[in-house]
Amino acid sequence: MSRISRSANWLFLFLALAVAPTVLADSRSQDEAAIKNLIESFTAHWHNSDAHGLSMFWISDGDFVNPDGAVMKGRQEIEGFYAKAFSIGYAGSTATATVDGLRFLKADLAIVDGEFDITGAVTSDHVELPAERGRYTTIVKKEDGRWWIVSNREMEPPNRSHKN
């Protein structure tokens, strides 16, 4: 290898190493935005009482644990849970969700922490239920260029008067 070729290789390596952090930061920013968009899109499907659409945010074998501790595994069970919830008074309710923390475990795997609120749910007699407020932790995975929910856990603490 000639001296010029070696110098060119070193120059290429130096430039690649100098540019890599910027490329990785841009990719990370895009992934963060996509994950936040996933959460926003989820609430949009909630507002449409779209049980099937909600289930399609999960990978096919994903799981969900609701605040009561019920466990749903796979899209079919998750869809069934939401369909039942909408049929017993949650159709037409409003859901909001914040993203309070987002940590990448790997380039294609992240954990999301946040809070949720559900208002406007009613009993079978059309009496409005108290607002539901709680926290969620969601593991998301990027496959084929899209972020999917792998696992979601929700909880409703008995006392929401103070935050940690």
Side-chain angles (χ1 to χ4, degrees), residues 35 38-39 57-59 62-63 102-103 105 108-113 136-142 147-153:
I35 292 167
L38 171 88
I39 303 300
F57 284 97
W58 270 264
I59 60 171
D63 62 71
L102 174 58
R103 182 170 52 123
L105 304 173
D108 64 346
L109 191 67
I111 189 165
V112 184
D113 288 304
Y136 71 89
T137 298
T138 303
I139 297 173
V140 293
K141 181 175 178 56
K142 189 174 187 179
W147 286 94
W148 301 88
I149 297 172
V150 174
S151 184
N152 185 59
R153 304 290 185 266

Side-chain angles (χ1 to χ4, degrees), residues 14-92:
F14 173 75
L15 290 173
L17 291 174
V19 171
T22 302
V23 170
L24 291 174
D26 287 346
S27 176
R28 180 64 49 94
S29 294
Q30 291 172 359
D31 285 332
E32 287 176 0
I35 292 167
K36 288 177 180 177
N37 186 57
L38 171 88
I39 303 300
E40 289 174 21
S41 295
F42 185 89
T43 60
H45 280 75
W46 179 281
H47 298 150
N48 292 325
S49 304
D50 182 4
H52 177 72
L54 289 170
S55 72
M56 295 308 292
F57 284 97
W58 270 264
I59 60 171
S60 61
D61 64 345
D63 62 71
F64 168 53
V65 178
N66 78 357
D68 294 330
V71 178
M72 282 65 62
K73 294 186 179 192
R75 288 183 183 147
Q76 186 174 3
E77 286 184 19
I78 293 167
E79 181 176 349
F81 168 79
Y82 285 118
K84 181 176 180 186
F86 292 135
S87 75
I88 63 168
Y90 284 84

